[in-house]
């Protein structure tokens, strides 16, 4: 049994490369099988079909097969900076994807959504809701799912890249 199966859960096409590329590269090097659940087509500007295809292409460049990418098109999960998504709806899609891919590890946004985008925050909340629910599952089927969340940096740290890079290299353990 492969115990290295990662499910990346994102809100929109482009989140995989914009926020998670270094983590995906790390997990790929650790011989994880990678899967992606994208909770919307990113259709706020009417470009959902194009963005979906871009996600498939981006994932193929990362070595993720098209059959390992699920894009949800649910009217209850509209793309938009201020659109909060229902916890139960996100949770239903998350639980289905964990089961579909037999995920042992889940990677997603933290509770601040990295950029403060409400869809990212709802993604994080829905994933937490599902993981807590699955860990309490009496069947024990999902009790070992590990959860990793991308940490949101403060406003200042986001915009002082050169100094931050220096601080990371000088303060990180060897």
């Amino acid at each position: 049994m492969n115990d290295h199966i990662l499910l990346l859960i994102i809100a929109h096409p482009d989140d995989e490369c914009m926020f998670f590329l270094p983590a995906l590269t790390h997990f790929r090097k650790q011989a994880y099988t990678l899967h992606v659940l994208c909770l919307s087509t990113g259709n706020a500007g009417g470009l959902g079909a194009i963005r979906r295809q871009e996600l498939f292409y981006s994932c193929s460049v990362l070595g993720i097969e098209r059959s390992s990418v699920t894009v949800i098109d649910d009217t209850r999960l509209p793309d938009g900076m201020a659109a909060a998504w229902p916890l139960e709806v996100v949770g239903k899609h998350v639980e289905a994807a964990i089961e579909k891919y037999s995920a042992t590890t889940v990677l997603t946004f933290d509770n601040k959504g990295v950029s403060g985008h409400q869809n990212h925050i709802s993604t994080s909340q829905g994933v937490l809701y599902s993981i807590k629910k699955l860990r309490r599952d009496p069947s024990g089927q999902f009790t070992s799912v590990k959860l990793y969340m991308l940490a949101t940096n403060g406003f200042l740290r986001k915009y002082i890249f050169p100094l931050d890079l220096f601080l990371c290299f000088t303060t990180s353990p060897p």
Side-chain angles (χ1 to χ4, degrees):
M1 179 178 151
N2 183 358
D3 60 348
H4 287 84
I5 303 171
L6 177 92
L7 175 61
L8 172 66
I9 303 174
I10 56 177
H12 318 100
D14 78 10
D15 291 346
E16 79 290 346
C17 56
M18 219 157 117
F19 302 112
F20 294 96
L21 184 59
L24 291 174
T25 301
H26 166 77
F27 282 107
R28 170 66 73 205
K29 287 180 182 175
Q30 301 301 314
Y32 275 76
T33 302
L34 305 178
H35 302 281
V36 177
L37 171 63
C38 184
L39 292 168
S40 78
T41 61
N43 199 36
L47 300 173
I50 293 169
R51 293 186 72 195
R52 176 193 299 248
Q53 293 308 312
E54 290 173 345
L55 174 65
F56 290 136
Y57 178 74
S58 173
C59 287
S60 74
V61 170
L62 295 169
I64 303 170
E65 297 178 19
R66 187 180 180 121
S67 62
S68 292
V69 180
T70 299
V71 181
I72 303 299
D73 191 5
D74 187 324
T75 57
R76 298 167 295 177
L77 304 177
D79 181 14
M81 287 293 291
W85 292 342
L87 200 60
E88 297 80 13
V89 175
V90 172
K92 178 187 76 151
H93 292 298
V94 168
E95 291 165 31
I98 289 172
E99 184 175 351
K100 175 182 178 180
Y101 296 120
S102 301
T104 59
T105 305
V106 169
L107 173 64
T108 195
F109 299 101
D110 71 358
N111 64 349
K112 294 181 183 171
V114 179
S115 63
H117 194 303
Q118 187 58 52
N119 293 166
H120 298 174
I121 294 167
S122 294
T123 298
S124 172
Q125 292 170 342
V127 169
L128 277 172
Y129 169 82
S130 296
I131 294 293
K132 287 177 184 174
K133 182 177 168 189
L134 292 172
R135 285 184 176 160
R136 287 191 301 266
D137 183 355
S139 75
Q141 185 177 2
F142 298 106
T143 56
S144 63
V145 175
K146 295 177 199 152
L147 175 61
Y148 293 100
M149 302 178 97
L150 197 63
T152 297
N153 290 318
F155 178 81
L156 184 60
R157 186 165 181 201
K158 282 183 188 179
Y159 297 101
I160 60 166
F161 170 71
L163 179 59
D164 187 48
L165 187 63
F166 171 75
L167 291 173
C168 284
F169 279 115
T170 59
T171 60
S172 296

